[in-house]
């Protein structure tokens, strides 16, 4: 058995390493002897060529979700895409109503953006998911109103791996004349996404959750019928006026390549990651008091969120310093508050504070899993040993 390099990276839900094939593509668009020109430059060949690179990436990303390339708006990541979808849509469609429906366990990029909209005078209904981390279509139906303009519900939850039935949820939104947005940052390449079949109007995407670079993402904006979105960043009128700023050719080409690879490798990736997940779970069979916060029957295989009863999560994290994992999501790991997502699905506070999220990916191997398992078993039994009684 090979010895894994330490620390063992089991935090793929926070970010992925960039695939070497993606890096190779990105390196073509930077230096003086390469295609570094501004893709918006209309006055010379180098600009047109750079624009072609952008358009090819746009097609690659569109293909991954069954969209038309003209429906892809480049952003700096899924966070910006979520902001553009929620704020840009609500501001541009006041006549449709001022009401928005979302859930309490969305990514912070949606939760905090919805709070910002509340301060601006919009009204938000916060749906509470079940223990399985899912929002039921009937729940959404009950929350819909005449003035509901937008419904925003994520495809795959980043802390739990739970999968929402986005087609069914979109159907309810449309039945009430509302527009449907989904944050699909964790879903790309893990569940099938098709904006036509699933009737998605707006979809947020990220490069670095799909083995592409950080700092690039996209918002899918449906064209027929045209969804109106107001720009948040003003300038040269790039991206059909929805998002100004010089396009980063290397980032965008990288995201395009990453999404194309995600499709090509889908079957292999899924088989590999499912096998790792099973190996990981089997390896914990003998450890008592381990509960899955992830609804394993209906979740993506790359995320396993576990509670270790009677063990403090922060202490476990320290004891596992050779394993890179998360106590919740990377965005709130600085605070000792239990994960709002775990609390949101009704996990008791003590169990939420005893939970860790393990997430796997394309470059995780059996040795990583086995070594991590040995470290986890050792750490858990060490932390559970009752402290010695003080002598009378
Ligand atoms: C990572 C993530 C984001 C943020 O994406 P960035 O590209 O890092 O801005 C948003 N939503 C979900 C569900 C995520 O997992």
């Amino acid at each position: 058995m090979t010895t894994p390099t330490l620390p063992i990276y089991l935090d793929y839900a926070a970010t992925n390493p960039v695939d070497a094939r993606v890096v190779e593509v990105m390196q073509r668009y930077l230096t003086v002897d390469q295609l570094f020109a501004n893709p918006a430059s209309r006055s010379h060949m180098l600009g047109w060529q750079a624009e072609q690179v952008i358009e090819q990436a746009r097609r690659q990303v569109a293909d991954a979700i069954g969209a038309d390339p003209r429906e892809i708006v480049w952003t700096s990541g899924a966070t910006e895409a979520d902001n553009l979808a929620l704020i840009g849509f609500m501001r541009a469609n006041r006549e449709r109503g001022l009401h928005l429906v979302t859930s309490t366990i969305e990514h912070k990029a949606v939760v905090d953006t919805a709070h910002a909209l509340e301060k601006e005078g919009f009204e938000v209904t916060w749906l509470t998911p079940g223990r399985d981390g899912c929002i039921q279509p009937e729940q959404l139906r009950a929350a819909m109103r005449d003035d509901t303009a937008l419904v925003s519900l994520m495809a795959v939850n980043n802390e739990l791996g739970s999968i929402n039935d986005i087609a069914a949820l979109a159907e309810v939104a449309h039945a009430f004349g509302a527009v449907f947005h989904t944050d699909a940052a964790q879903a790309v390449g893990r569940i099938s996404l098709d904006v036509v079949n699933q009737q998605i109007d707006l979809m947020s995407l990220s490069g670095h959750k799909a083995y592409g670079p950080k700092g690039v993402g996209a918002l899918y904006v449906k064209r027929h019928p045209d969804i109106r979105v107001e720009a948040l960043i003003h300038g040269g009128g790039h991206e059909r006026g929805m998002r100004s700023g010089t396009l980063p050719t290397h980032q965008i080409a990288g995201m395009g390549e990453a999404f194309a690879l995600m499709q090509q490798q889908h079957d292999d990736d899924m088989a590999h990651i499912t096998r790792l997940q099973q190996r990981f779970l089997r390896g914990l069979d003998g450890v008592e008091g381990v509960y899955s916060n992830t609804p394993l029957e209906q979740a993506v295989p790359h995320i396993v969120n576990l509670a270790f009863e009677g063990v403090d999560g922060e202490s476990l994290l320290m004891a596992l310093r050779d394993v890179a994992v998360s106590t919740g999501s990377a965005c709130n790991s600085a605070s000792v508050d239990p994960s709002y997502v775990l609390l949101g699905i009704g996990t008791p506070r003590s169990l939420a504070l005893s939970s860790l999220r393990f997430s796997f990916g394309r470059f995780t191997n059996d040795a990583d899993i086995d070594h991590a398992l040995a470290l986890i078993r050792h750490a858990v039994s060490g932390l559970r040993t009752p402290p010695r009684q003080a002598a009378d």
Side-chain angles (χ1 to χ4, degrees):
M1 196 178 99
T2 50
T3 314
T5 44
L6 297 175
I8 303 161
Y9 188 76
L10 298 185
D11 204 13
Y12 275 76
T15 193
N16 297 350
V18 182
D19 191 296
R21 293 165 291 185
V22 171
V23 174
E24 205 200 308
V25 168
M26 292 177 67
Q27 283 171 340
R28 295 178 199 155
Y29 308 108
L30 294 163
T31 57
V32 67
D33 54 335
Q34 295 176 315
L35 206 44
F36 66 88
N38 189 328
S41 292
R42 289 265 114 103
S43 53
H44 49 72
M45 174 104 93
L46 294 174
W48 307 333
Q49 288 174 341
E51 188 190 19
Q52 278 171 15
V53 173
I54 300 290
E55 294 316 308
Q56 180 186 322
R58 207 186 290 281
R59 203 166 311 119
Q60 288 171 315
V61 168
D63 281 350
I65 59 167
D68 183 296
R70 289 169 296 180
E71 298 174 312
I72 301 298
V73 175
W74 299 114
T75 66
S76 61
T79 300
E80 186 189 330
D82 286 338
N83 275 263
L84 183 57
L86 271 66
I87 300 176
F89 178 83
M90 293 305 283
R91 284 187 187 162
N93 294 274
R94 287 176 186 275
E95 81 288 350
R96 280 173 170 261
L98 303 182
H99 183 229
L100 160 74
V101 180
T102 185
S103 91
T104 55
I105 65 160
E106 299 298 306
H107 190 274
K108 284 281 185 189
V110 166
V111 170
D112 288 358
T113 302
H115 281 309
L117 282 169
E118 283 178 323
K119 289 205 189 102
E120 230 178 89
F122 293 96
E123 203 184 326
V124 179
T125 294
W126 297 92
L127 298 176
T128 308
R131 288 289 291 158
D132 61 359
C134 294
I135 298 295
Q136 299 306 324
E138 305 76 62
Q139 259 183 290
L140 176 60
R141 194 181 301 280
M144 296 302 292
R145 307 191 323 209
D146 288 346
D147 63 339
T148 308
L150 181 69
V151 173
S152 177
L153 294 168
M154 69 205 311
V156 170
N157 184 275
N158 49 298
E159 287 198 40
L160 300 167
S162 52
I163 303 169
N164 267 327
D165 185 348
I166 45 178
L169 295 167
E171 197 179 316
V172 173
H174 293 147
F176 287 83
V179 158
F180 187 77
H181 166 251
T182 191
D183 177 337
Q186 292 288 345
V188 171
R190 280 99 185 187
I191 64 168
S192 74
L193 292 172
D194 185 310
V195 292
V196 177
N197 285 339
Q198 294 163 329
Q199 294 190 57
I200 314 294
D201 304 305
L202 295 162
M203 183 191 282
S204 300
L205 302 167
S206 175
H208 72 104
K209 305 288 175 68
Y211 308 98
K214 299 174 197 35
V216 64
L219 180 66
Y220 155 78
V221 182
K222 190 187 176 83
R223 272 170 67 93
H224 298 293
D226 205 28
I227 304 290
R228 250 178 324 120
V229 172
E230 203 175 286
L232 302 181
I233 295 178
H234 305 278
H238 307 71
E239 300 299 282
R240 296 193 286 133
M242 281 182 266
R243 206 287 193 170
S244 289
T246 301
L247 295 175
T249 314
H250 60 302
Q251 301 286 85
I252 288 171
M255 179 165 167
E257 182 69 14
F259 272 49
L261 285 172
M262 214 61 179
Q263 276 197 291
Q264 285 163 31
Q265 291 220 178
H266 174 267
D267 293 354
D268 289 345
D269 277 347
M270 289 304 273
H272 174 64
I273 292 164
T274 303
R275 215 172 45 73
L276 293 171
Q277 182 224 38
Q278 303 284 309
R279 190 181 185 94
F280 181 71
L281 291 171
R282 259 201 323 272
L284 290 171
D285 268 351
V287 186
E288 271 173 50
V290 181
Y291 305 104
S292 179
N293 298 312
T294 297
L296 294 167
E297 303 304 312
Q298 41 171 335
V300 289
H302 76 288
I303 300 177
V304 177
N305 194 314
L306 298 176
F308 297 86
E309 193 177 39
V311 177
D312 173 55
E314 291 296 319
S315 309
L316 185 53
L317 201 64
M318 300 282 261
L320 289 176
R321 62 190 162 286
D322 285 338
V323 188
V325 291
S326 166
T327 46
S329 82
C331 311
N332 53 23
S333 59
S335 112
V336 287
D337 287 338
S339 147
Y340 70 94
V341 172
L342 293 179
L343 295 181
I345 60 166
T347 310
R349 198 184 154 83
S350 64
L351 269 192
L353 283 168
S354 301
S355 296
L356 292 184
R357 178 189 67 185
F358 300 88
S359 48
F360 322 113
R362 189 178 288 165
F363 308 109
T364 311
N365 59 37
D366 287 353
D368 294 331
I369 297 292
D370 294 347
H371 202 78
L373 282 167
L375 294 170
I376 293 164
R377 282 197 223 98
H378 182 75
V380 168
S381 73
L383 290 167
R384 277 190 182 150
T385 306
R388 221 176 304 148
Q389 298 291 310
D392 295 317

